[in-house]
Amino acid sequence: MEEREGTVTTADGRTLAYLERGDLDGPPILAHHGTPGSRLSRHPNDAVYEGLRVISYDRPGYGRSDRNTGRDVASAAADAATIADALGLERFPVMGVSGGGPHALACAALLPQRVTRAAILVGAAPSDDPDFDFLAGMTELNVKEFTAALAGEGPLRAELRPYYEMITDDPEVMVRMLEAELPPPDRERLAEAGPREALKLSFVEAVAQGTDGWVDDGLAFARAWGFGLDDVAAPTRLWQGELDVLVPRAHAEYLARKIPGADFELLPGLGHMLLSHFPAAWAWLLEA
């Protein structure tokens, strides 16, 4: 597997860091990481990247990307377009996992002439619909984080500070705390060395600059995204673990109702960690 890292500069002068892995001459897929996450978020098995060119980038404030204070979910589309322009990608599919799901959907809605397909795995739904209970079925960790986000930047920073200290002191402590609230299939996956180490590396890189990226994701999720789900023009497919408690199945069901023509697959007996379905998602993205 090949890897290549780089940076691009946005129209407003910010730096965005990206990482390409797989076959650098292969068909491209632009991936949006979870919350928190970084360009280092990855499948732990190098072999699944064979024949693919998967491009991940640090959202603003994460890893090596400059902060974009006040960003909303919609702003991901312009950042994605900047990276695509720099890499010579005229048309490309997008994939979003967990907190990356809304950002992938932003690309599918706001770059209709460029995004060919959107694959969303355990992606979060909008929080501003009064008819949708955003917090129902979520683990206590996420409920506390989102409640703090609703209260504003100060309360959210205070809520995230202990987790930042765990990650910077010993990311293993953070993973242990997280897995204690997860269903059995996710705990089983985290018991494997590959997924566990990959998650820790991504977490450490996510907070390389502090909690800015994490805070700004939370604030963006707590307000309107900046586009409507009925604006999602690209063919979209949703994969959702039945037992997920980080982004419960109601989120994917909501997205499936609201996104025109979206396909929805509920995965019985699985939770939030859908690494086994990455290859299927990538294959579907490249059918276009």
Side-chain angles (χ1 to χ4, degrees):
M1 183 185 71
E2 301 174 271
E3 288 191 353
R4 178 169 59 202
E5 291 198 70
T7 60
V8 299
T9 303
T10 64
D12 58 355
R14 291 178 292 109
T15 294
L16 294 172
Y18 68 86
L19 171 63
E20 303 174 81
R21 56 170 61 90
D23 178 356
L24 301 185
D25 294 318
I29 296 169
L30 184 61
H32 297 259
H33 62 71
T35 302
S38 70
R39 71 190 185 285
L40 302 187
S41 299
R42 55 161 298 164
H43 195 289
N45 182 359
D46 289 351
V48 303
Y49 290 94
E50 184 176 352
L52 303 175
R53 180 187 179 191
V54 179
I55 304 157
S56 303
Y57 76 100
D58 295 327
R59 275 196 299 280
Y62 286 116
R64 293 166 51 207
S65 289
D66 291 338
R67 188 184 188 193
N68 182 13
T69 305
R71 64 177 166 92
D72 59 8
V73 173
S75 67
D79 286 350
T82 298
I83 292 170
D85 289 345
L87 297 179
L89 310 180
E90 180 59 35
R91 288 173 57 77
F92 52 93
V94 295
M95 175 174 167
V97 178
S98 190
H103 298 90
L105 290 173
C107 297
L110 301 175
L111 302 173
Q113 303 304 314
R114 304 190 69 174
V115 172
T116 57
R117 287 189 170 192
I120 311 299
L121 282 71
V122 293
S127 65
D128 62 339
D129 184 342
D131 295 326
F132 176 63
D133 189 344
F134 186 86
L135 297 177
M138 275 192 186
T139 182
E140 183 182 357
L141 280 173
N142 274 12
V143 171
K144 290 170 62 180
E145 181 178 329
F146 186 73
T147 301
L150 289 172
E153 181 171 344
L156 181 56
R157 282 194 183 278
E159 176 66 26
L160 296 180
R161 182 70 191 182
Y163 307 140
Y164 165 75
E165 292 174 351
M166 286 182 198
I167 293 170
T168 54
D169 290 344
D170 183 358
E172 176 65 23
V173 176
M174 179 69 186
V175 173
R176 287 176 185 167
M177 186 186 69
L178 176 64
E179 69 182 335
E181 298 202 13
L182 296 179
D186 288 333
R187 293 200 300 270
E188 290 169 9
R189 179 63 74 180
L190 280 174
E192 302 171 19
R196 196 179 193 90
E197 289 306 309
L199 182 62
K200 288 193 288 188
L201 286 173
S202 181
F203 277 175
V204 169
E205 184 64 11
V207 299
Q209 303 181 59
T211 58
D212 282 348
W214 200 347
V215 164
D216 290 342
D217 267 4
L219 296 175
F221 296 149
R223 56 177 178 259
W225 286 2
F227 64 95
L229 291 174
D230 55 355
D231 295 326
V232 175
T236 301
R237 185 168 176 80
L238 310 162
W239 283 262
Q240 176 64 41
E242 175 191 22
L243 305 178
D244 192 356
V245 294
L246 295 179
V247 181
R249 62 183 285 183
H251 285 246
E253 292 168 343
Y254 179 93
L255 294 174
R257 292 193 302 270
K258 298 292 185 177
I259 297 172
D263 291 326
F264 171 57
E265 182 175 355
L266 183 66
L267 303 172
L270 295 183
H272 193 71
M273 300 188 69
L274 301 185
L275 293 171
S276 60
H277 285 73
F278 277 33
W282 290 334
W284 178 81
L285 285 173
L286 296 176
E287 287 176 6

